[in-house]
Amino acid sequence: MQKVFSSRRDFLRTAGLGIAYTMVPQFLTCSKSIRKEKLPNIIIIFCDDLGYGDLGIYGHPTIKTPNLDRMALEGQKWTNFYVAASVCTPSRAGILTGRLPIRSGMCSSKRRVLFPDSAGGLPESEITLAEVLKTKGYKTACIGKWHLGHLPRYLPTKNGFDYYFGIPYSNDMDDVSKLPWKQKFWNPKTEYWNVPLMQNEKVIERPAEQTSLTKRYTDETIKFIKNNKNNPFFIYLAHTMPHVPLFASKNFQNRSLRGLYGDVVEEIDWNVGRILRTLNDLKLSSNTLVIFTSDNGPWWLTYKELGGSAGLLRGGKGSTWEGGMREPAIFWWPGHIKKGTITDIGSTMDIFTTICKLTGAKIPDDRIIDGVDLRPVLFGTGPSPRKTIFYYRGTKLYAVRKGSYKAHFFTEPGYGKNRKVKKHNPPLLFNLEQDPSERFDISKEHPEIIADILETVKKHKAKLVIGENQLEKIIKK
Amino acid sequence: MQKVFSSRRDFLRTAGLGIAYTMVPQFLTCSKSIRKEKLPNIIIIFCDDLGYGDLGIYGHPTIKTPNLDRMALEGQKWTNFYVAASVCTPSRAGILTGRLPIRSGMCSSKRRVLFPDSAGGLPESEITLAEVLKTKGYKTACIGKWHLGHLPRYLPTKNGFDYYFGIPYSNDMDDVSKLPWKQKFWNPKTEYWNVPLMQNEKVIERPAEQTSLTKRYTDETIKFIKNNKNNPFFIYLAHTMPHVPLFASKNFQNRSLRGLYGDVVEEIDWNVGRILRTLNDLKLSSNTLVIFTSDNGPWWLTYKELGGSAGLLRGGKGSTWEGGMREPAIFWWPGHIKKGTITDIGSTMDIFTTICKLTGAKIPDDRIIDGVDLRPVLFGTGPSPRKTIFYYRGTKLYAVRKGSYKAHFFTEPGYGKNRKVKKHNPPLLFNLEQDPSERFDISKEHPEIIADILETVKKHKAKLVIGENQLEKIIKK
């Protein structure tokens, strides 16, 4: 059984907060390429509701993403990379803590994400990537959508980030328009949603002027890079887009053949290009790891053309089909990462562990960390240690991937009225490497694989401590 | 009304067969880049049943195609490129004549392709790309699957090709095994199909040893390139793979994560690399246009994991959904073609017209040619002149794309027992640029677009002369 911390301060004290740069050498990574070098800067660019198939290099026919395509060609394009959950809040808890959201209580089957009336947030006992990087002397910024609790005690500045600039929850919340659903989203205006834009702990604009958010987030990112070019820095840039309502700035409106959704993705692409150019111009690219991915699959099930595409993958946002949880993922670190397409399995939770290893930061050892160390894949020295993906929907385990095989115990559409949970006994079984679209159930042919997956589930559940549910807590009026 | 030729010899005489190289200068292309240069060599690599989503650069997660990916990055990757029909025989008639197969009689709604008992073939009055290139002094080879008539009078050597090496029809014909359907295809052995391998007009091997076909076709291609490096040459390399039964050579068996289908595609990829390397080694690459595409969509509807993937496109082989007729298409001609992703519309039939224009060969003017000149797109000087795609199933027009919009008058699964034709009135309407997966019918919102498409259909049908059906002719026993 894991110990449960009452406060993460205990860990951070042990890990040497305030004694950064004095860590003993064995804490440093074994990777030859960065040993004795400066600590690498880290930038995570995390989109919102971007689909597996929405980038040129991932096969979209009409969305043009030349900057991301180039980033992928200069780095690693992962094709089996997963998020921790198929909706915003739990997915974000996963990437920032390296832990399945069920452990932190950041998922629920009823209220699947936090809302403006939510009273909960990421528990203080959880340790974020920003916090572990602070122990190594990093300057840290969270720029963009947070969605891990908007009450003062849950804000990014209380979670290891020196700086915050962004919106505290989704851009479709605080709906103040009286317009019909269709008109509102198909012809959106920024004033329909009274979403606050915050800087550190203050609201600086309300409603947030959404058409300029992608650009402004990038401006803030570039400013933070420039101001900290002599420090190691960590920037978590969590774009608000392409989550509905979709907003592009004037230069990008009506530009893409794909329509508004394409405009928005092409604006993100262009702004990723600005960041990479800044790193090159400042001669920081050889010392900066940039990771691009998204929080969950595309929302086409509800928003049709306004939602993205999961490409050849089945389903989308909210579901435990591949389209809900497999994402584009690009790792870029010129001169360090072995270029190529990576078919190994990875997870956003592994970013936590890998970065700890890369920087020599201590990985919390008093709790289960689900992330694994992806350095062998990044540096081309070995396979991914990750073999298993748990697909939770809320607090219920719907499916498990082990190696090439995925068993579905339950399936349910991501969104939609009158949807029903289907229980599968025996579970559906797909070979994802051969059948990535999850079309051909092979459960009858392979009972032994199902038995093995069930054994894995049993072991997983035996050690599972479910965190106190944060998503059902409502502000009392 | 078009004139109907009794023999193509009339045209070929007019076009100057035998007086190649003496054509007056105005026949030469206007493209600055090749004016005054030697006539370019042409290689068309035409796969069989490859899906839109089956290459790395088109988004497949587990099939690795580094050679084709590089070819696309060095050239043009087309994302809206169509074939003339969703099954073998009519699609091949389309690419080689630049004409819709309904004009040549090479399609039928009953027998959709030619079979070993077929008595028909490409009518002598049709003019193939090989024949027009002969008028310009090209050396021509057809290497691979023909499928435009296997009786002596219909063979490639009677259709403008100096050399033929390949199988005359599909590799799943001449079935001589007594094995159950599933076992036969899932564990194929080359002797189950008594398909002949021909050289020119002789059978040189029967059954064709299929595991080595991809390699042997490539060997023949390289030999032909080497033997003709001082001539302009045209090679139509029509791979037998990845049509079921799937066969890979020993070096490629059990290599791909995608299974046997992936092995087969990865072997094609590797062999494309051999051809491009040969062109580079012989310093022919700057004078050789190589086009890579396939004849129709993937056959997953019948063969499951043994069929490919249409990626984000709906349907597959045999259907008039996008997955049946939109294909990967790569144009490669270093130093000449403007690199990039092309979202303009193109068709295999345009290859005929474009190559005529590039080489100064006379385009037959006594009949309707459906191909358009894609040189503006290749050289980056303007948009594609192609705005319309007619999706025939057999002799019936099922759908029409005009610009971004596609109207379906009929839909039907490509294959499968008890399938039914659905008639749509009003037709289904999709915006393919915004909705490439054909999910969101917008017919109610846009009656004016449907009216415009119907007008286009009316004009098309007014000029249509249906060729004598070649596919229903059976050899009398």
Side-chain angles (χ1 to χ4, degrees), chain B residues 52-331:
Chain B
Y52 183 79
D54 281 327
L55 307 184
I57 196 95
Y58 281 82
H60 201 280
T62 52
I63 301 177
K64 295 205 170 183
T65 54
N67 294 285
L68 286 160
D69 295 358
R70 198 178 325 117
M71 182 182 172
L73 293 168
E74 292 172 1
Q76 290 184 345
K77 171 192 170 190
W78 287 63
T79 63
N80 284 272
F81 199 84
Y82 292 88
V83 290
S86 64
V87 290
C88 290
T89 297
S91 177
R92 284 150 207 269
I95 192 171
L96 284 183
T97 64
R99 284 154 57 78
L100 283 168
I102 193 163
R103 303 192 199 279
S104 55
M106 292 298 282
C107 57
S108 157
S109 295
K110 278 191 203 164
R111 285 194 143 206
R112 299 181 69 191
V113 298
L114 294 167
F115 290 90
D117 65 352
S118 293
L122 191 69
E124 205 209 353
S125 57
E126 291 297 318
I127 296 163
T128 70
L129 183 54
E131 285 166 324
V132 295
L133 289 174
K134 285 308 295 173
T135 71
K136 301 296 294 177
Y138 275 70
K139 298 293 180 185
T140 56
C142 171
I143 295 165
K145 170 167 152 182
W146 177 239
H147 218 179
L148 293 173
H150 55 278
L151 297 188
R153 57 192 279 215
Y154 295 121
L155 288 174
T157 46
K158 299 288 166 59
N159 278 284
F161 289 102
D162 298 323
Y163 182 65
Y164 174 48
F165 180 94
I167 63 171
Y169 37 69
S170 292
N171 65 329
D172 63 339
M173 295 177 176
D174 287 330
D175 183 351
V176 289
S177 86
K178 308 278 177 200
L179 292 166
W181 184 84
K182 181 120 187 173
Q183 186 182 336
K184 196 166 59 189
F185 286 102
W186 264 257
N187 191 16
K189 294 199 190 328
T190 197
E191 62 266 27
Y192 297 166
W193 294 272
N194 193 33
V195 179
L197 177 68
M198 303 186 73
Q199 190 168 36
N200 295 323
E201 290 157 27
K202 282 185 188 152
V203 174
I204 58 168
E205 186 177 296
R206 192 164 189 169
E209 201 293 291
Q210 294 205 43
T211 64
S212 58
L213 277 184
T214 299
K215 184 180 176 301
R216 284 194 284 168
Y217 288 167
T218 305
D219 293 344
E220 290 286 330
T221 300
I222 289 173
K223 200 162 79 183
F224 197 84
I225 293 170
K226 288 184 174 168
N227 288 344
N228 291 284
K229 63 183 174 190
N230 300 318
N231 292 308
F233 60 79
F234 166 50
I235 302 171
Y236 170 64
L237 166 54
H239 276 299
T240 292
M241 295 292 134
H243 190 292
V244 291
L246 297 169
F247 289 103
S249 64
K250 266 197 184 149
N251 286 345
F252 287 87
Q253 286 166 18
N254 301 311
R255 200 179 91 144
S256 171
L257 292 178
R258 173 61 178 81
L260 181 53
Y261 184 86
D263 294 343
V264 164
V265 174
E266 292 185 7
E267 182 161 16
I268 290 173
D269 173 74
W270 189 76
N271 280 286
V272 170
R274 287 176 66 206
I275 292 169
L276 301 188
R277 275 195 302 279
T278 301
L279 294 172
N280 283 331
D281 291 349
L282 296 174
K283 304 202 188 314
L284 290 175
S285 57
S286 69
N287 199 39
T288 306
L289 168 62
V290 185
I291 303 169
F292 176 91
T293 187
S294 183
D295 65 339
N296 51 245
W299 214 349
W300 65 268
L301 298 113
T302 306
Y303 291 101
K304 301 184 174 180
E305 301 95 319
L306 299 180
S309 167
L312 82 170
L313 303 180
R314 189 164 171 177
K317 175 172 176 169
S319 85
T320 48
W321 295 107
E322 290 294 291
M325 290 180 61
R326 202 196 294 198
E327 284 297 318
I330 303 170
F331 285 68

Side-chain angles (χ1 to χ4, degrees), chain A residues 52-53 56-64 69 73 77 79-80 182 256-260 300-301 303-305 308-313 315 326 341-344 404 431-437 439-440 442 445, chain B residues 52-53 56-64 69 73 77 79-80 182 256-260 300-301 303-305 308-313 315 326 341-344 404 431-437 439-440 442 445:
Chain A
Y52 182 79
I57 196 95
Y58 281 82
H60 201 279
T62 53
I63 301 177
K64 295 205 169 183
D69 295 358
L73 293 168
K77 171 192 169 190
T79 63
N80 284 273
K182 181 118 187 174
S256 171
L257 291 178
R258 173 61 178 81
L260 182 53
W300 66 266
L301 299 113
Y303 292 100
K304 301 184 174 181
E305 301 94 318
S309 167
L312 81 169
L313 303 179
R326 203 197 293 196
T341 298
I342 303 297
T343 53
D344 286 36
S404 179
N431 179 337
L432 293 180
E433 286 173 352
Q434 301 204 11
D435 174 24
S437 304
R439 282 178 169 142
F440 316 117
I442 51 170
E445 289 92 320
Chain B
Y52 183 79
I57 196 95
Y58 281 82
H60 201 280
T62 52
I63 301 177
K64 295 205 170 183
D69 295 358
L73 293 168
K77 171 192 170 190
T79 63
N80 284 272
K182 181 120 187 173
S256 171
L257 292 178
R258 173 61 178 81
L260 181 53
W300 65 268
L301 298 113
Y303 291 101
K304 301 184 174 180
E305 301 95 319
S309 167
L312 82 170
L313 303 180
R326 202 196 294 198
T341 297
I342 303 296
T343 53
D344 285 36
S404 177
N431 179 338
L432 293 180
E433 287 173 350
Q434 301 203 12
D435 174 24
S437 304
R439 280 176 169 145
F440 315 118
I442 52 171
E445 291 91 319

